[in-house]
Amino acid sequence: MVKSLDKWQFGDFQTPDELAKCATKLLREKHGISPNLVIEPTCGKGAFLRASLSEFRYSKIVGFDINEKYVKEAKETLSKYPNSENATVLTGDFFSMDWDSFLDNFSGHILVIGNPPWVTSSELSILNSKNLPSKSNFQNRRGIEAITGSGNFDISEWMLLKHAEWLTKREGTIALLCKYSVARKVFRQITKRSGNKFSASIYLIDAKVFFGASVEACFFILSTNSHDSSDCVVYKDLISDQILHLIGERDGFILKDTAKYEKWKHLLGQDLRYTWRSGIKHDCSKVMELEQVGNGLFQNGMHQQYSLETEYLYPLLKSSDIGNGRVNTCRKLVLVTQKTIGDDTSVIKDKAFNTWQYLLEHDALLSRRKSSIYKNKPPYSIFGIGEYSFKKWKIAISGLYKRLNFGLVNPIDNKPVMLDDTVNFLSFDTEEEANFILSLLNSKPSLEFLESMIFWDEKRPITIDILKRLSLKAVAKEIGFLEKYMELAEVVRVNSNGQLELGLAEQASRYQAR
């Protein structure tokens, strides 16, 4: 289904009456909210205004919307309620209103309720829409985005933070439908700005059922009411009392599940020997990635066929391969032009003439790569490459897939396998060490520790920043394999005679380097 221009421009997903009634009932019965004033800044056709008239019968209720047609429709439906004199609906643009002056006319507990636009600033910019907040660096971005305010963000995120500003000197509650990712980002920023001023709750909703939208969504509640914990409680839905987990901050990290983290936080730490990497970045797959179609014959992404030497071609596995466990065979090969970042690529001309001619033929495409990382680098440079790339055994996990699925990648055709830049991996000199570390990563303590920090709705949920927080040495100790870890992984260890000697992995590494 294609969104209409108006629906896209205004993030217009009208709230079903059933959902609005359930949400307002929850506020009154479970959270004990009894507001003096209810504000819906983007009321649309008035579902939350009608629900508020039913649940908060003696409250002053005010709704605003930029769409005059919706304002008229909301007024007509509200007029049928016996306490309709408590409700006022006005035409107004959220981004140009003087909210401070408006709020100065009221005292007591304020409830800000509703369903703000589900649209991003970039989408609105594509449409040249004027329905945008003034640009500011509210997300603390760096560089040019900080200067221009050009970074993409959800409009509802900006609005939620504005609502929170309203309550810095007032008592009140913010209760809005929004994307789950927006609620989490706002909770994080509110915690940094205001400490424990607000209590927070998230009630998950099925956006597919209510709005026909394939996005994780929720009813997000922030309140200045007193509370004992700074954690945000995440409930299964609006009806049940089932708590899924608590989002909170510990040790400088925003965590998805504080209880799991507290259970396993003694696993926090970094191993000097094991460094998580991401795979090769080349930004030109139709040239750099090929398929073998015959003996010495290879086809690129433009269906062009070339006779190339195999010296610079390596098996390639991508996120989809790693995420789905396809690690024993590869569909594609990747052209690896350097051993380490910054290597002189002109040596290819002498070692593999056909390969060099192929690169020259596609110079125009490779020279147009936009990323600044290629600027002032040797021609046909790649990134995410180093001696670790050429080790034969790797443990890999897709950064894009929504599950913790570590897999062992063995050499293919006696060549080390390369991974794309959406894959995170560790590399090893011996299969024994790789298998041992894989068993540590797939253990229950490791998986639960990592799970406590991963928000699966992120575009790339599994990051190197998260993976490197896990101490494999601590995991080995936890599950009773510390001695094995010391034998295999430690660079230097003490033998039974009290003498210092190299660990087995380090011995293998130095032997292969000779």
Side-chain angles (χ1 to χ4, degrees), residues 69-91:
K69 181 181 176 182
Y70 287 172
V71 169
K72 182 180 179 181
E73 185 174 334
K75 284 181 177 179
E76 289 175 355
T77 59
L78 291 170
S79 66
K80 300 174 184 178
Y81 285 71
N83 57 338
S84 60
E85 69 278 1
N86 292 345
T88 304
V89 191
L90 303 168
T91 302

PDB file of all heavy atoms in Angstrom, residues 69-91:
ATOM      1  N   LYS A  69      -9.760  20.231   8.487  1.00  0.00           N
ATOM      2  CA  LYS A  69     -10.802  19.221   8.269  1.00  0.00           C
ATOM      3  C   LYS A  69     -10.890  18.287   9.472  1.00  0.00           C
ATOM      4  O   LYS A  69     -11.985  17.935   9.930  1.00  0.00           O
ATOM      5  CB  LYS A  69     -10.486  18.432   6.999  1.00  0.00           C
ATOM      6  CG  LYS A  69     -11.514  17.369   6.660  1.00  0.00           C
ATOM      7  CD  LYS A  69     -11.110  16.615   5.395  1.00  0.00           C
ATOM      8  CE  LYS A  69     -12.095  15.485   5.102  1.00  0.00           C
ATOM      9  NZ  LYS A  69     -11.679  14.710   3.883  1.00  0.00           N
ATOM     10  N   TYR A  70      -9.741  17.867   9.998  1.00  0.00           N
ATOM     11  CA  TYR A  70      -9.735  17.003  11.170  1.00  0.00           C
ATOM     12  C   TYR A  70     -10.278  17.728  12.401  1.00  0.00           C
ATOM     13  O   TYR A  70     -10.996  17.147  13.223  1.00  0.00           O
ATOM     14  CB  TYR A  70      -8.311  16.515  11.462  1.00  0.00           C
ATOM     15  CG  TYR A  70      -7.787  15.470  10.499  1.00  0.00           C
ATOM     16  CD1 TYR A  70      -6.451  15.058  10.558  1.00  0.00           C
ATOM     17  CD2 TYR A  70      -8.609  14.894   9.527  1.00  0.00           C
ATOM     18  CE1 TYR A  70      -5.956  14.103   9.681  1.00  0.00           C
ATOM     19  CE2 TYR A  70      -8.112  13.947   8.649  1.00  0.00           C
ATOM     20  CZ  TYR A  70      -6.791  13.553   8.725  1.00  0.00           C
ATOM     21  OH  TYR A  70      -6.299  12.605   7.866  1.00  0.00           O
ATOM     22  N   VAL A  71      -9.917  18.988  12.547  1.00  0.00           N
ATOM     23  CA  VAL A  71     -10.409  19.777  13.689  1.00  0.00           C
ATOM     24  C   VAL A  71     -11.938  19.835  13.670  1.00  0.00           C
ATOM     25  O   VAL A  71     -12.597  19.641  14.709  1.00  0.00           O
ATOM     26  CB  VAL A  71      -9.815  21.203  13.659  1.00  0.00           C
ATOM     27  CG1 VAL A  71     -10.514  22.108  14.668  1.00  0.00           C
ATOM     28  CG2 VAL A  71      -8.317  21.155  13.945  1.00  0.00           C
ATOM     29  N   LYS A  72     -12.497  20.076  12.501  1.00  0.00           N
ATOM     30  CA  LYS A  72     -13.956  20.134  12.367  1.00  0.00           C
ATOM     31  C   LYS A  72     -14.591  18.794  12.719  1.00  0.00           C
ATOM     32  O   LYS A  72     -15.592  18.724  13.448  1.00  0.00           O
ATOM     33  CB  LYS A  72     -14.321  20.529  10.939  1.00  0.00           C
ATOM     34  CG  LYS A  72     -15.820  20.660  10.706  1.00  0.00           C
ATOM     35  CD  LYS A  72     -16.104  21.069   9.258  1.00  0.00           C
ATOM     36  CE  LYS A  72     -17.625  21.167   9.026  1.00  0.00           C
ATOM     37  NZ  LYS A  72     -17.927  21.549   7.608  1.00  0.00           N
ATOM     38  N   GLU A  73     -14.020  17.710  12.226  1.00  0.00           N
ATOM     39  CA  GLU A  73     -14.553  16.370  12.499  1.00  0.00           C
ATOM     40  C   GLU A  73     -14.466  16.037  13.982  1.00  0.00           C
ATOM     41  O   GLU A  73     -15.413  15.469  14.557  1.00  0.00           O
ATOM     42  CB  GLU A  73     -13.788  15.334  11.673  1.00  0.00           C
ATOM     43  CG  GLU A  73     -14.350  13.929  11.789  1.00  0.00           C
ATOM     44  CD  GLU A  73     -13.667  12.940  10.857  1.00  0.00           C
ATOM     45  OE1 GLU A  73     -13.140  13.369   9.803  1.00  0.00           O
ATOM     46  OE2 GLU A  73     -13.658  11.734  11.185  1.00  0.00           O
ATOM     47  N   ALA A  74     -13.344  16.391  14.616  1.00  0.00           N
ATOM     48  CA  ALA A  74     -13.186  16.130  16.053  1.00  0.00           C
ATOM     49  C   ALA A  74     -14.222  16.895  16.868  1.00  0.00           C
ATOM     50  O   ALA A  74     -14.819  16.358  17.814  1.00  0.00           O
ATOM     51  CB  ALA A  74     -11.773  16.505  16.490  1.00  0.00           C
ATOM     52  N   LYS A  75     -14.445  18.151  16.520  1.00  0.00           N
ATOM     53  CA  LYS A  75     -15.442  18.958  17.237  1.00  0.00           C
ATOM     54  C   LYS A  75     -16.825  18.324  17.158  1.00  0.00           C
ATOM     55  O   LYS A  75     -17.564  18.274  18.157  1.00  0.00           O
ATOM     56  CB  LYS A  75     -15.496  20.370  16.644  1.00  0.00           C
ATOM     57  CG  LYS A  75     -14.347  21.270  17.039  1.00  0.00           C
ATOM     58  CD  LYS A  75     -14.517  22.652  16.400  1.00  0.00           C
ATOM     59  CE  LYS A  75     -13.413  23.597  16.830  1.00  0.00           C
ATOM     60  NZ  LYS A  75     -13.557  24.934  16.190  1.00  0.00           N
ATOM     61  N   GLU A  76     -17.189  17.851  15.985  1.00  0.00           N
ATOM     62  CA  GLU A  76     -18.515  17.253  15.794  1.00  0.00           C
ATOM     63  C   GLU A  76     -18.692  15.998  16.642  1.00  0.00           C
ATOM     64  O   GLU A  76     -19.755  15.800  17.261  1.00  0.00           O
ATOM     65  CB  GLU A  76     -18.715  16.920  14.317  1.00  0.00           C
ATOM     66  CG  GLU A  76     -18.880  18.148  13.430  1.00  0.00           C
ATOM     67  CD  GLU A  76     -18.965  17.792  11.959  1.00  0.00           C
ATOM     68  OE1 GLU A  76     -18.791  16.588  11.632  1.00  0.00           O
ATOM     69  OE2 GLU A  76     -19.178  18.707  11.136  1.00  0.00           O
ATOM     70  N   THR A  77     -17.670  15.151  16.717  1.00  0.00           N
ATOM     71  CA  THR A  77     -17.802  13.914  17.505  1.00  0.00           C
ATOM     72  C   THR A  77     -17.810  14.202  19.006  1.00  0.00           C
ATOM     73  O   THR A  77     -18.504  13.533  19.768  1.00  0.00           O
ATOM     74  CB  THR A  77     -16.671  12.933  17.176  1.00  0.00           C
ATOM     75  OG1 THR A  77     -15.408  13.552  17.460  1.00  0.00           O
ATOM     76  CG2 THR A  77     -16.702  12.526  15.717  1.00  0.00           C
ATOM     77  N   LEU A  78     -17.058  15.211  19.430  1.00  0.00           N
ATOM     78  CA  LEU A  78     -17.000  15.542  20.862  1.00  0.00           C
ATOM     79  C   LEU A  78     -18.289  16.181  21.353  1.00  0.00           C
ATOM     80  O   LEU A  78     -18.634  16.066  22.537  1.00  0.00           O
ATOM     81  CB  LEU A  78     -15.819  16.492  21.124  1.00  0.00           C
ATOM     82  CG  LEU A  78     -14.426  15.894  20.962  1.00  0.00           C
ATOM     83  CD1 LEU A  78     -13.368  16.992  21.002  1.00  0.00           C
ATOM     84  CD2 LEU A  78     -14.138  14.860  22.039  1.00  0.00           C
ATOM     85  N   SER A  79     -18.990  16.843  20.471  1.00  0.00           N
ATOM     86  CA  SER A  79     -20.216  17.534  20.872  1.00  0.00           C
ATOM     87  C   SER A  79     -21.301  16.581  21.357  1.00  0.00           C
ATOM     88  O   SER A  79     -22.257  16.990  22.021  1.00  0.00           O
ATOM     89  CB  SER A  79     -20.751  18.364  19.695  1.00  0.00           C
ATOM     90  OG  SER A  79     -21.168  17.519  18.632  1.00  0.00           O
ATOM     91  N   LYS A  80     -21.153  15.304  21.046  1.00  0.00           N
ATOM     92  CA  LYS A  80     -22.152  14.311  21.443  1.00  0.00           C
ATOM     93  C   LYS A  80     -21.969  13.806  22.871  1.00  0.00           C
ATOM     94  O   LYS A  80     -22.789  13.048  23.383  1.00  0.00           O
ATOM     95  CB  LYS A  80     -22.102  13.135  20.464  1.00  0.00           C
ATOM     96  CG  LYS A  80     -22.386  13.548  19.013  1.00  0.00           C
ATOM     97  CD  LYS A  80     -22.171  12.389  18.056  1.00  0.00           C
ATOM     98  CE  LYS A  80     -22.371  12.847  16.608  1.00  0.00           C
ATOM     99  NZ  LYS A  80     -22.122  11.749  15.634  1.00  0.00           N
ATOM    100  N   TYR A  81     -20.852  14.189  23.530  1.00  0.00           N
ATOM    101  CA  TYR A  81     -20.575  13.734  24.892  1.00  0.00           C
ATOM    102  C   TYR A  81     -21.239  14.667  25.901  1.00  0.00           C
ATOM    103  O   TYR A  81     -21.276  15.896  25.697  1.00  0.00           O
ATOM    104  CB  TYR A  81     -19.071  13.687  25.139  1.00  0.00           C
ATOM    105  CG  TYR A  81     -18.379  12.505  24.479  1.00  0.00           C
ATOM    106  CD1 TYR A  81     -18.218  12.446  23.095  1.00  0.00           C
ATOM    107  CD2 TYR A  81     -17.914  11.440  25.234  1.00  0.00           C
ATOM    108  CE1 TYR A  81     -17.605  11.369  22.483  1.00  0.00           C
ATOM    109  CE2 TYR A  81     -17.279  10.357  24.643  1.00  0.00           C
ATOM    110  CZ  TYR A  81     -17.138  10.326  23.259  1.00  0.00           C
ATOM    111  OH  TYR A  81     -16.533   9.248  22.666  1.00  0.00           O
ATOM    112  N   PRO A  82     -21.763  14.107  27.000  1.00  0.00           N
ATOM    113  CA  PRO A  82     -22.450  14.949  28.000  1.00  0.00           C
ATOM    114  C   PRO A  82     -21.544  15.999  28.649  1.00  0.00           C
ATOM    115  O   PRO A  82     -22.019  17.034  29.081  1.00  0.00           O
ATOM    116  CB  PRO A  82     -22.958  13.929  29.029  1.00  0.00           C
ATOM    117  CG  PRO A  82     -22.120  12.706  28.819  1.00  0.00           C
ATOM    118  CD  PRO A  82     -21.801  12.687  27.363  1.00  0.00           C
ATOM    119  N   ASN A  83     -20.252  15.733  28.726  1.00  0.00           N
ATOM    120  CA  ASN A  83     -19.317  16.693  29.317  1.00  0.00           C
ATOM    121  C   ASN A  83     -18.490  17.392  28.243  1.00  0.00           C
ATOM    122  O   ASN A  83     -17.346  17.783  28.461  1.00  0.00           O
ATOM    123  CB  ASN A  83     -18.387  16.001  30.323  1.00  0.00           C
ATOM    124  CG  ASN A  83     -17.609  14.846  29.706  1.00  0.00           C
ATOM    125  OD1 ASN A  83     -18.005  14.291  28.692  1.00  0.00           O
ATOM    126  ND2 ASN A  83     -16.498  14.480  30.339  1.00  0.00           N
ATOM    127  N   SER A  84     -19.079  17.568  27.050  1.00  0.00           N
ATOM    128  CA  SER A  84     -18.353  18.132  25.912  1.00  0.00           C
ATOM    129  C   SER A  84     -17.867  19.551  26.173  1.00  0.00           C
ATOM    130  O   SER A  84     -16.908  20.005  25.538  1.00  0.00           O
ATOM    131  CB  SER A  84     -19.232  18.118  24.656  1.00  0.00           C
ATOM    132  OG  SER A  84     -20.405  18.896  24.866  1.00  0.00           O
ATOM    133  N   GLU A  85     -18.481  20.250  27.124  1.00  0.00           N
ATOM    134  CA  GLU A  85     -18.038  21.614  27.425  1.00  0.00           C
ATOM    135  C   GLU A  85     -16.628  21.648  28.003  1.00  0.00           C
ATOM    136  O   GLU A  85     -15.970  22.706  28.031  1.00  0.00           O
ATOM    137  CB  GLU A  85     -19.006  22.295  28.405  1.00  0.00           C
ATOM    138  CG  GLU A  85     -18.993  21.734  29.821  1.00  0.00           C
ATOM    139  CD  GLU A  85     -19.840  20.476  30.008  1.00  0.00           C
ATOM    140  OE1 GLU A  85     -20.434  20.009  28.999  1.00  0.00           O
ATOM    141  OE2 GLU A  85     -19.927  19.972  31.136  1.00  0.00           O
ATOM    142  N   ASN A  86     -16.137  20.483  28.447  1.00  0.00           N
ATOM    143  CA  ASN A  86     -14.764  20.410  28.990  1.00  0.00           C
ATOM    144  C   ASN A  86     -13.699  20.363  27.897  1.00  0.00           C
ATOM    145  O   ASN A  86     -12.505  20.480  28.201  1.00  0.00           O
ATOM    146  CB  ASN A  86     -14.607  19.172  29.878  1.00  0.00           C
ATOM    147  CG  ASN A  86     -15.413  19.266  31.154  1.00  0.00           C
ATOM    148  OD1 ASN A  86     -15.873  20.349  31.516  1.00  0.00           O
ATOM    149  ND2 ASN A  86     -15.600  18.145  31.840  1.00  0.00           N
ATOM    150  N   ALA A  87     -14.118  20.155  26.660  1.00  0.00           N
ATOM    151  CA  ALA A  87     -13.156  19.947  25.572  1.00  0.00           C
ATOM    152  C   ALA A  87     -13.168  21.107  24.575  1.00  0.00           C
ATOM    153  O   ALA A  87     -14.228  21.630  24.216  1.00  0.00           O
ATOM    154  CB  ALA A  87     -13.459  18.645  24.844  1.00  0.00           C
ATOM    155  N   THR A  88     -11.978  21.486  24.137  1.00  0.00           N
ATOM    156  CA  THR A  88     -11.797  22.524  23.126  1.00  0.00           C
ATOM    157  C   THR A  88     -10.850  21.997  22.049  1.00  0.00           C
ATOM    158  O   THR A  88      -9.822  21.399  22.372  1.00  0.00           O
ATOM    159  CB  THR A  88     -11.185  23.797  23.744  1.00  0.00           C
ATOM    160  OG1 THR A  88     -12.005  24.234  24.826  1.00  0.00           O
ATOM    161  CG2 THR A  88     -11.061  24.902  22.706  1.00  0.00           C
ATOM    162  N   VAL A  89     -11.210  22.212  20.800  1.00  0.00           N
ATOM    163  CA  VAL A  89     -10.350  21.783  19.697  1.00  0.00           C
ATOM    164  C   VAL A  89     -10.038  23.000  18.831  1.00  0.00           C
ATOM    165  O   VAL A  89     -10.939  23.725  18.399  1.00  0.00           O
ATOM    166  CB  VAL A  89     -11.012  20.689  18.834  1.00  0.00           C
ATOM    167  CG1 VAL A  89      -9.984  20.084  17.872  1.00  0.00           C
ATOM    168  CG2 VAL A  89     -11.611  19.598  19.705  1.00  0.00           C
ATOM    169  N   LEU A  90      -8.749  23.222  18.562  1.00  0.00           N
ATOM    170  CA  LEU A  90      -8.308  24.398  17.840  1.00  0.00           C
ATOM    171  C   LEU A  90      -7.371  24.025  16.696  1.00  0.00           C
ATOM    172  O   LEU A  90      -6.670  23.004  16.762  1.00  0.00           O
ATOM    173  CB  LEU A  90      -7.575  25.368  18.783  1.00  0.00           C
ATOM    174  CG  LEU A  90      -8.359  25.852  20.009  1.00  0.00           C
ATOM    175  CD1 LEU A  90      -7.409  26.544  20.991  1.00  0.00           C
ATOM    176  CD2 LEU A  90      -9.482  26.776  19.600  1.00  0.00           C
ATOM    177  N   THR A  91      -7.347  24.841  15.678  1.00  0.00           N
ATOM    178  CA  THR A  91      -6.383  24.662  14.591  1.00  0.00           C
ATOM    179  C   THR A  91      -5.056  25.283  15.010  1.00  0.00           C
ATOM    180  O   THR A  91      -5.015  26.436  15.458  1.00  0.00           O
ATOM    181  CB  THR A  91      -6.872  25.345  13.302  1.00  0.00           C
ATOM    182  OG1 THR A  91      -8.148  24.791  12.940  1.00  0.00           O
ATOM    183  CG2 THR A  91      -5.882  25.114  12.169  1.00  0.00           C
TER     184      THR A  91
END
